[in-house]
């Protein structure tokens, strides 16, 4: 059994961004980013907190430093640290290629070097993230898996 606790992976701070759990953001801002009403947003935030506490996954919202606007969301679910497997969804809003690269690089370090994931289920990843992973030891299999070689 792994000693890794998802709840300990916050906040992340990169050169231009602040990453934290959904519970640490303003409800109205989260609602606007997700495009949902307040009640379903509250339910979503509650479920992400439960998932993190059960150690089944991790969710971050990302904002530019010194700004309130949420510019990205990352969902890592169905985490199985024994099998080194998880599912990944990344959503960006109005980011430059350089900004996406900065987020992608920190995400790669987390998934590859900290969690040691070998298989990552993907639905659709931004081209920049996909290229960053494939240039750093992962291969795409069956159009929906990143497998570490």
């Amino acid at each position: 059994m792994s000693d890794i606790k998802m709840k300990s992976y916050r906040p992340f701070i990169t050169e231009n961004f602040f990453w934290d759990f959904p519970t640490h953001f303003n409800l109205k801002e989260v609602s606007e980013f997700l495009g949902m009403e307040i009640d379903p947003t509250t339910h979503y935030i509650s479920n992400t907190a439960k998932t993190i506490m059960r150690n089944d996954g991790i969710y971050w919202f990302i904002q530019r430093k010194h700004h309130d606007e949420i510019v990205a969301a990352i969902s890592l679910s169905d985490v199985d640290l024994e099998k080194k497997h998880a599912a990944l969804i990344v959503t960006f809003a109005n980011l430059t290629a350089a900004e996406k690269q900065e987020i992608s690089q920190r995400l790669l370090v987390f998934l590859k070097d900290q969690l040691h994931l070998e298989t990552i289920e993907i639905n659709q990843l931004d081209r920049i993230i996909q290229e960053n992973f494939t240039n750093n030891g992962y291969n795409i299999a069956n159009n929906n898996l990143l497998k570490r070689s």
Side-chain angles (χ1 to χ4, degrees):
M1 183 138 212
S2 175
D3 291 340
I4 294 173
K5 300 290 181 218
M6 295 297 154
K7 66 182 180 181
S8 64
Y9 289 106
R10 65 149 294 270
F12 282 170
I13 300 170
T14 61
E15 182 179 348
N16 296 297
F17 297 101
F18 178 77
W19 307 34
D20 212 336
F21 296 161
T23 54
H24 293 269
F25 287 89
N26 176 291
L27 183 59
K28 183 176 183 273
E29 292 163 2
V30 172
S31 175
E32 289 173 2
F33 180 80
L34 295 174
M36 297 181 348
E37 297 295 323
I38 295 295
D39 284 346
T41 300
T42 302
H43 185 70
Y44 171 84
I45 290 171
S46 175
N47 285 338
T48 65
K50 289 174 189 173
T51 299
I52 293 166
M53 294 310 289
R54 283 191 314 263
N55 219 41
D56 292 337
I58 193 164
Y59 296 80
W60 293 290
F61 284 129
I62 300 172
Q63 67 184 165
R64 285 186 181 93
K65 286 182 179 174
H66 314 295
H67 290 85
D68 290 336
E69 179 188 15
I70 297 169
V71 295
I74 297 176
S75 163
L76 189 68
S77 60
D78 302 322
V79 174
D80 186 328
L81 296 172
E82 298 299 317
K83 293 181 181 176
K84 302 180 183 209
H85 176 272
L88 175 67
I89 298 173
V90 180
T91 305
F92 291 131
N94 304 319
L95 291 174
T96 66
E99 290 172 325
K100 290 177 183 180
Q101 182 63 34
E102 178 181 331
I103 291 168
S104 177
Q105 192 57 41
R106 180 61 183 100
L107 181 61
L108 176 68
V109 167
F110 177 69
L111 299 179
K112 181 180 177 187
D113 299 335
Q114 291 179 267
L115 294 186
H116 309 288
L117 294 182
E118 293 178 3
T119 305
I120 304 168
E121 286 182 49
I122 57 173
N123 185 3
Q124 181 178 4
L125 277 183
D126 183 88
R127 177 190 56 81
I128 291 172
I129 291 183
Q130 190 168 307
E131 285 177 3
N132 192 33
F133 276 73
T134 56
N135 289 337
N136 286 284
Y138 285 89
N139 297 307
I140 296 178
N142 302 326
N143 290 327
N144 67 342
L145 290 177
L146 289 171
K147 292 190 71 73
R148 203 155 123 190
S149 45

